[in-house]
Amino acid sequence: MNIDKNKPSMQSMLDRISTDRLKQYLSSLSDFHTRHSKSPLLNDAGDWIMNELRGIGYKDTFYHSFKATIDNEEFDLRNIICKKQGIDEKLIMVCAHYDCIMNRKEDSDSRAPGANDNGSGVSAIIEIARVLANENLKHSFQFVLFSGEEQGLLGSRNYAKYIKGHNIDLYRLINLDMIGYPFFAPNTVTIERDNNTDANHNQVRENDLKSIEFGEIMKETTSAVNLGFHLGSIYDSDYEPFEANGHVVLGAYDGSADPNKNPHYHSSSDLPEFINWIYLTSVTKLVLATILKVDSINSH
């Protein structure tokens, strides 16, 4: 076995995750008046994300464009795809949606900062991409930001179709959707696995066991980043179109998508000032540690 003595330890890589950078990314995203999928401001936000990823050094970063009908009107929407080539073609995808909404889904004009939903997930991905930019990894990676999530997973449905149609070897996927407010218990993350008993949220049973095993890898890593865990199931977010195509998926989630408990959910008060920055940093580290562990395991 050849051991690369120059390869940094996992702990040293986790230590590179910067709370200050997460704050900068999330605050910049929340400064857009809205990131509603019907608003032209979503394209401005997409350009900002694209520039951040390219500025980190990712040259193979591009828009995956598609047409979608929202409220009986057709829109040109864009997913953001950022590729990192590995030694092999097995693909690990880390994804989040960058659009946001208000309580009235059709309201594309009101102030909608979308700090937790889902500036938190987007910020974590940009920061993970930054830390991994100059690392040599076994598997190939894609950092993907979807539009149209709030209108029925429009971006992820289109990109899942693309992945399947091009026979891309999507090995594992982690979705980040709301990771800035710990709601089930203090400092506790929900690990969403593909074991939902509702067939609407678990269309393929053959990939369930591998998803549960994937969740165990994340669970075993929580103590290293000072997090507790709650084991949950995937539900109504961007992993579902990929699960339906048979891929192995997992989600990290803070549990705060409940308007009865969270007054900021889909509200103009979903602002950076309410983000728990220590928690967001810990969850970002958790996701990085999980993908590094998966990348180091001999996959078959």
Side-chain angles (χ1 to χ4, degrees):
M1 178 185 291
N2 292 320
I3 299 175
D4 184 354
K5 294 182 179 177
N6 295 318
K7 191 175 180 68
S9 68
M10 180 180 290
Q11 187 58 54
S12 69
M13 293 183 71
L14 297 185
D15 289 343
R16 293 182 199 168
I17 295 292
S18 165
T19 303
D20 286 341
R21 287 182 183 272
L22 287 168
K23 285 182 179 179
Q24 289 168 14
Y25 301 144
L26 198 150
S27 296
S28 294
L29 283 165
S30 298
D31 280 346
F32 289 97
H33 180 73
T34 182
R35 301 191 309 278
H36 195 286
S37 294
K38 296 197 299 183
S39 171
L41 290 172
L42 184 65
N43 283 340
D44 295 341
D47 290 342
W48 180 87
I49 294 167
M50 178 77 81
N51 289 334
E52 287 295 316
L53 291 167
R54 287 179 173 164
I56 290 166
Y58 289 95
K59 292 183 169 47
D60 195 3
T61 302
F62 55 91
Y63 291 114
H64 169 254
S65 301
F66 61 98
K67 292 185 182 296
T69 301
I70 304 172
D71 298 334
N72 300 312
E73 187 178 351
E74 188 172 77
F75 292 87
D76 293 310
L77 298 183
R78 308 184 303 186
N79 298 322
I80 300 162
I81 317 299
C82 174
K83 290 185 175 181
K84 177 177 177 61
Q85 185 62 44
I87 295 169
D88 64 31
E89 296 299 326
K90 275 190 182 298
L91 178 65
I92 296 174
M93 184 188 298
V94 190
C95 59
H97 71 91
Y98 70 101
D99 62 307
C100 63
I101 58 168
M102 293 288 286
N103 285 321
R104 287 195 308 115
K105 270 193 171 185
E106 66 275 15
D107 180 1
S108 60
D109 298 319
S110 295
R111 171 71 171 127
N116 193 40
D117 189 12
N118 185 32
S120 59
V122 177
S123 300
I125 287 178
I126 298 171
E127 181 62 357
I128 290 168
R130 183 190 69 82
V131 170
L132 292 179
N134 297 313
E135 298 301 323
N136 295 318
L137 300 169
K138 182 171 67 174
H139 298 320
S140 295
F141 276 74
Q142 285 189 13
F143 306 102
V144 180
L145 295 315
F146 297 117
S147 61
E149 190 270 352
E150 300 287 9
Q151 287 74 34
L153 316 181
L154 299 176
S156 52
R157 290 184 194 282
N158 274 272
Y159 197 56
K161 189 184 299 182
Y162 176 88
I163 290 284
K164 182 178 182 180
H166 288 77
N167 295 314
I168 295 170
D169 186 7
L170 178 53
Y171 175 58
R172 294 290 185 270
L173 178 150
I174 300 179
N175 182 62
L176 309 180
D177 192 352
M178 305 178 67
I179 54 171
Y181 306 142
F183 252 70
F184 281 112
N187 220 38
T188 298
V189 65
T190 298
I191 300 170
E192 299 175 299
R193 302 153 306 153
D194 181 18
N195 64 346
N196 201 314
T197 55
D198 183 344
N200 292 317
H201 303 287
N202 185 357
Q203 296 191 38
V204 177
R205 295 292 178 180
E206 288 76 14
N207 51 13
D208 289 15
L209 184 57
K210 287 184 177 178
S211 172
I212 292 167
E213 291 171 351
F214 191 12
E216 287 297 303
I217 294 173
M218 183 175 278
K219 185 183 85 171
E220 290 164 3
T221 310
T222 52
S223 59
V225 296
N226 301 312
L227 284 173
F229 65 86
H230 171 84
L231 295 177
S233 302
I234 65 170
Y235 181 83
D236 207 20
S237 191
D238 284 316
Y239 32 39
E240 290 199 345
F242 297 92
E243 188 280 334
N245 286 342
H247 299 299
V248 179
V249 305
L250 197 66
Y253 167 52
D254 62 18
S256 67
D258 184 343
N260 296 315
K261 296 178 182 176
N262 180 4
H264 310 303
Y265 180 61
H266 290 171
S267 165
S268 59
S269 65
D270 184 6
L271 292 160
E273 64 200 72
F274 298 114
I275 293 290
N276 183 323
W277 297 108
I278 295 173
Y279 177 75
L280 175 58
T281 303
S282 295
V283 177
T284 304
K285 289 181 177 181
L286 175 67
V287 175
L288 174 58
T290 302
I291 60 180
L292 287 172
K293 279 193 173 186
V294 171
D295 189 66
S296 68
I297 296 170
N298 289 323
S299 54
H300 302 285

